[in-house]
Amino acid sequence: MKPNDVVSSLPNNPTPNTHASVDSAQQEQQAGLDFVRQVITDDLATGRAKQIVTRFPPEPNGYLHIGHVKAICLNFGVAEEFDGLCNLRFDDTNPDAEEQEYVDGIANDVKWLGFNWNGEPRYASGYFDQLYAWAVQLIEQGDAYVDLQSPEEIKLNRGSFVEPGKNSPYRDASIEENLTRFEKMRSGEFKEGEAVLRAKIDMASTNVHMRDPILYRVLHSEHHQTGDKWKIYPMYDYAHPLSDAIEGITHSLCTLEFQDHRPFYDWIVEKVKSKAVPHQYESSRLNVDYTITSKRKLRKLVEGAHVNGWDDPRMPTVVGMRRRGFTPEGLRDFCKRVGVSKTDGIVDVAMLEFCIRQSLENTAARGMAVLSPLKVTLTNLPEDMDLNHARHPNVDMGDRVIPLTKEIYIDRKDFEEIPPKGFKRLIPDGEVRLRHAYVIKCDEVIKDANGEVIELKCSIDPETLGKNPEGRKVKGVIHWVSATKGIPAEVRIYDRLFTEADPETGDDFLANLNPDSLKVLEAVIEPALAQANPEDRFQFEREGYFVADQHDHSPEKPVFNRILDLKDSFKPEKK
């Protein structure tokens, strides 16, 4: 899904790249002016299309990221809305960069996000015979030629922003010569870089993409689908529109970076005389602050061990966001709120976090975990007891058993000897309520030789289980876990990977990495949490949303990742 990186747009063929807010897209949606859906509505009404057919066409050369999520939601979303079809097609035209691992991963990501494609997955490589036949047809029509210039010569003769390109000395070779050379390319008689097939369009075009673009190059590489059958491989810009035509795609939806590629898209479809004539439509890509989506830079993070693999929960990859505990429902809601626009902008990451929290509010069971344990002895608790409490305050998820024992843990931040103003938790001689249990009073503070608090002696008010104390008001409520029946757990606190809203600030994006993006804590959790299955999500009361790690969690050794804290700075517009 990436343009030919040896060409660039000219000034009079700009691709919008303004850092606008997402407000314009939201306004378009609220006014019913989403241009993609309007185009589809008009095409159905006029009969240009009888049934909508879209496609999601990833290149299997890496893992999908948050930007691809928007493309998935758009392509599959409009197909569902208009009772159409959406194909999953792997545009696998570069075997040097592609792996079966990515093919399998992409299919799993699409399914996890909640979408189903039409029929079996498709591959551009499945059309290689037809694409080759069309290339021969182009040569026979005089619309393509084999160029034996070196890659450096081709690049030099392409021209510049102010100068037109120069015709190749091989441009006017006869049809017979070109057919012979192209067959030699196919049979492997040329080395890589010695020959390419180019479209014959216009080397003086103001659009660089129309200056005799390359259609085929020589690659002596084995393909993950076709093996060693081919010694030549089509370029993306050639294979993509023709694959759309083969599949009968009615609306080829892509990002604004492909806007200047559209003239070639239309040219090649017309030249091969395809019965189906797909149309390309461009909309803004998804840019989120504090986030990088460049495949090259994401790879640099992985290969430089700045993160722990592609599914590191700090990564904006789908596998990373899944392991972080983000929900497919939250991601789909986020893409819906961002909307479809023709103007690039940067979306506040707080909107993404808001959508994830919204999806978790009524789906994540509650539980208690103490992340920084401080021992408390309940001096007058007559005996250990089991408390039954709902797993969710508003949704029927059943009950859980919370053991209350003579020794418990509270969080260190919930006790202060010299409290700051407004502190409403435990202090010497002060009272708080234990969540779902008794009101307790701090009677004694025990310290070690260094003066550090290591234990609190507290007494319960036995008349306060399930009711308020008489004659006084206790404002603070703190969470806790049994010290003797609680389960030790590893808790990973994830934060944003970058310290700068624009990670590209400065000379090297790696300089903006957040050194505190991961903290690993030895916590204690209530027993019910240890029985979680991998990917089960919870709200640890007063701490945030957490997920049982997809790979490392087990009842014997619980591991939880923080999805998000409970704070929310995003304010959605009122409808």
Side-chain angles (χ1 to χ4, degrees):
M1 297 193 2
K2 129 179 166 178
N4 188 337
D5 53 14
V6 301
V7 296
S8 57
S9 303
L10 291 178
N12 59 348
N13 289 288
T15 297
N17 192 29
T18 57
H19 289 263
S21 71
V22 75
D23 291 347
S24 60
Q26 291 177 325
Q27 290 168 2
E28 283 184 359
Q29 278 198 318
Q30 291 168 5
L33 298 177
D34 175 332
F35 80 93
V36 169
R37 288 168 172 83
Q38 187 62 59
V39 165
I40 291 174
T41 299
D42 293 343
D43 287 346
L44 289 171
T46 59
R48 189 191 81 76
K50 294 182 179 179
Q51 183 182 41
I52 299 305
V53 184
T54 61
R55 82 290 169 269
F56 174 59
E59 297 172 89
N61 60 1
Y63 288 88
L64 300 185
H65 54 64
I66 184 93
H68 296 111
V69 174
K70 181 183 177 185
I72 292 170
C73 290
L74 178 59
N75 279 286
F76 284 92
V78 296
E80 288 181 359
E81 290 171 33
F82 291 91
D83 196 24
L85 304 172
C86 183
N87 296 342
L88 173 62
R89 180 178 74 236
F90 296 99
D91 277 336
D92 52 346
T93 59
N94 184 8
D96 286 345
E98 298 162 358
E99 298 180 22
Q100 187 63 38
E101 172 188 351
Y102 300 137
V103 172
D104 297 337
I106 288 168
N108 287 334
D109 288 347
V110 173
K111 289 179 180 177
W112 178 75
L113 285 166
F115 296 104
N116 295 305
W117 50 84
N118 171 42
E120 294 296 319
R122 293 162 168 80
Y123 298 84
S125 57
Y127 309 139
F128 278 179
D129 288 323
Q130 178 61 67
L131 297 178
Y132 178 81
W134 273 331
V136 171
Q137 176 186 328
L138 290 170
I139 294 173
E140 292 174 341
Q141 293 172 183
D143 292 318
Y145 64 97
V146 173
D147 195 346
L148 303 181
Q149 293 183 102
S150 68
E152 293 75 18
E153 290 172 323
I154 291 175
K155 185 176 181 180
L156 180 65
N157 291 333
R158 190 178 294 277
S160 67
F161 290 100
V162 294
E163 293 181 349
K166 297 178 182 178
N167 286 349
S168 165
Y170 302 94
R171 196 174 195 268
D172 295 325
S174 68
I175 290 174
E176 290 72 19
E177 285 178 296
N178 282 311
L179 288 172
T180 299
R181 290 168 179 165
F182 192 46
E183 178 56 34
K184 288 183 177 181
M185 287 176 61
R186 180 183 183 178
S187 62
E189 295 182 44
F190 286 107
K191 297 179 181 178
E192 294 183 11
E194 285 187 338
V196 294
L197 182 68
R198 299 178 69 177
K200 187 185 292 187
I201 306 179
D202 182 6
M203 290 300 293
S205 173
T206 56
N207 185 337
V208 178
H209 300 284
M210 298 298 282
R211 294 182 184 177
D212 291 10
I214 296 173
L215 307 181
Y216 271 89
R217 78 283 204 197
V218 176
L219 282 179
H220 296 281
S221 301
E222 187 165 318
H223 193 281
H224 54 90
Q225 296 293 320
T226 60
D228 59 1
K229 176 181 178 179
W230 295 93
K231 306 301 181 185
I232 56 172
Y233 289 93
M235 299 298 290
Y236 175 88
D237 275 3
Y238 173 74
H240 182 80
L242 296 183
S243 297
D244 283 352
I246 291 170
E247 294 178 10
I249 302 302
T250 59
H251 296 77
S252 182
L253 308 177
C254 58
T255 50
L256 288 172
E257 64 204 272
F258 291 94
Q259 184 169 264
D260 294 339
H261 297 244
R262 194 195 322 144
F264 177 71
Y265 183 105
D266 294 339
W267 183 89
I268 195 67
V269 170
E270 179 185 357
K271 287 295 182 180
V272 302
K273 301 176 177 62
S274 167
K275 293 181 180 179
V277 181
H279 291 264
Q280 176 177 299
Y281 303 90
E282 309 89 13
S283 62
S284 60
R285 63 180 297 162
L286 179 58
N287 300 301
V288 183
D289 58 7
Y290 294 97
T291 305
I292 276 180
T293 54
S294 160
K295 286 183 181 178
R296 177 180 62 83
K297 291 178 179 176
L298 292 176
R299 185 178 297 277
K300 192 171 183 179
L301 289 172
V302 173
E303 294 178 349
H306 301 289
V307 294
N308 299 316
W310 289 98
D311 67 347
D312 187 299
R314 294 165 290 182
M315 290 281 277
T317 53
V318 175
V319 288
M321 292 186 291
R322 178 177 179 176
R323 192 172 180 187
R324 175 75 173 262
F326 285 14
T327 65
E329 297 82 8
L331 289 170
R332 294 198 304 267
D333 180 40
F334 171 63
C335 291
K336 182 177 180 180
R337 290 174 182 270
V338 169
V340 181
S341 172
K342 289 189 176 183
T343 303
D344 269 339
I346 297 179
V347 181
D348 188 347
V349 69
M351 179 193 282
L352 171 60
E353 294 170 351
F354 168 82
C355 293
I356 300 301
R357 287 191 187 93
Q358 287 282 99
S359 70
L360 292 168
E361 173 61 29
N362 289 321
T363 58
R366 302 320 194 233
M368 291 192 291
V370 174
L371 307 187
S372 180
L374 173 61
K375 183 180 177 182
V376 173
T377 300
L378 303 177
T379 57
N380 64 333
L381 184 71
E383 59 183 4
D384 293 354
M385 57 192 302
D386 287 337
L387 305 175
N388 286 288
H389 202 274
R391 287 165 51 85
H392 195 286
N394 303 315
V395 180
D396 185 5
M397 296 183 179
D399 292 345
R400 74 201 201 256
V401 175
I402 309 172
L404 177 62
T405 56
K406 192 175 186 66
E407 294 177 349
I408 65 171
Y409 289 124
I410 67 170
D411 200 287
R412 286 188 174 273
K413 68 176 181 293
D414 285 334
F415 173 77
E416 288 286 350
E417 277 194 284
I418 305 175
K421 185 178 180 180
F423 189 76
K424 295 180 180 179
R425 285 162 277 177
L426 195 57
I427 61 175
D429 297 320
E431 288 185 312
V432 294
R433 176 177 289 281
L434 296 179
R435 189 81 160 168
H436 312 310
Y438 295 99
V439 170
I440 65 171
K441 180 181 179 182
C442 180
D443 303 311
E444 183 181 354
V445 178
I446 299 175
K447 301 180 181 180
D448 63 12
N450 297 319
E452 182 179 350
V453 177
I454 58 171
E455 184 180 354
L456 304 177
K457 300 280 189 177
C458 298
S459 56
I460 68 166
D461 181 341
E463 302 300 321
T464 57
L465 184 61
K467 58 183 180 180
N468 293 323
E470 295 184 3
R472 65 195 190 278
K473 190 173 184 179
V474 176
K475 294 183 178 180
V477 179
I478 63 174
H479 61 286
W480 56 278
V481 171
S482 166
T484 53
K485 296 184 179 180
I487 308 295
E490 179 179 307
V491 173
R492 300 164 181 172
I493 305 297
Y494 290 99
D495 203 348
R496 292 171 185 169
L497 187 56
F498 294 97
T499 57
E500 297 288 336
D502 179 5
E504 304 284 359
T505 299
D507 297 329
D508 183 3
F509 78 101
L510 294 177
N512 296 319
L513 284 169
N514 179 7
D516 298 318
S517 62
L518 170 60
K519 295 179 181 178
V520 180
L521 306 178
E522 292 302 320
V524 182
I525 61 176
E526 63 175 79
L529 291 173
Q531 302 307 311
N533 295 314
E535 296 193 79
D536 282 353
R537 303 176 183 89
F538 299 89
Q539 184 189 113
F540 289 180
E541 299 190 45
R542 301 180 66 237
E543 291 291 357
Y545 290 103
F546 291 78
V547 64
D549 187 78
Q550 185 180 23
H551 303 307
D552 300 334
H553 173 85
S554 69
E556 297 73 30
K557 187 181 177 181
V559 178
F560 287 88
N561 304 326
R562 187 176 73 176
I563 307 170
L564 291 167
D565 59 21
L566 296 175
K567 298 177 182 177
D568 200 335
S569 60
F570 179 71
K571 299 292 189 271
E573 293 184 3
K574 294 182 180 180
K575 295 183 178 180

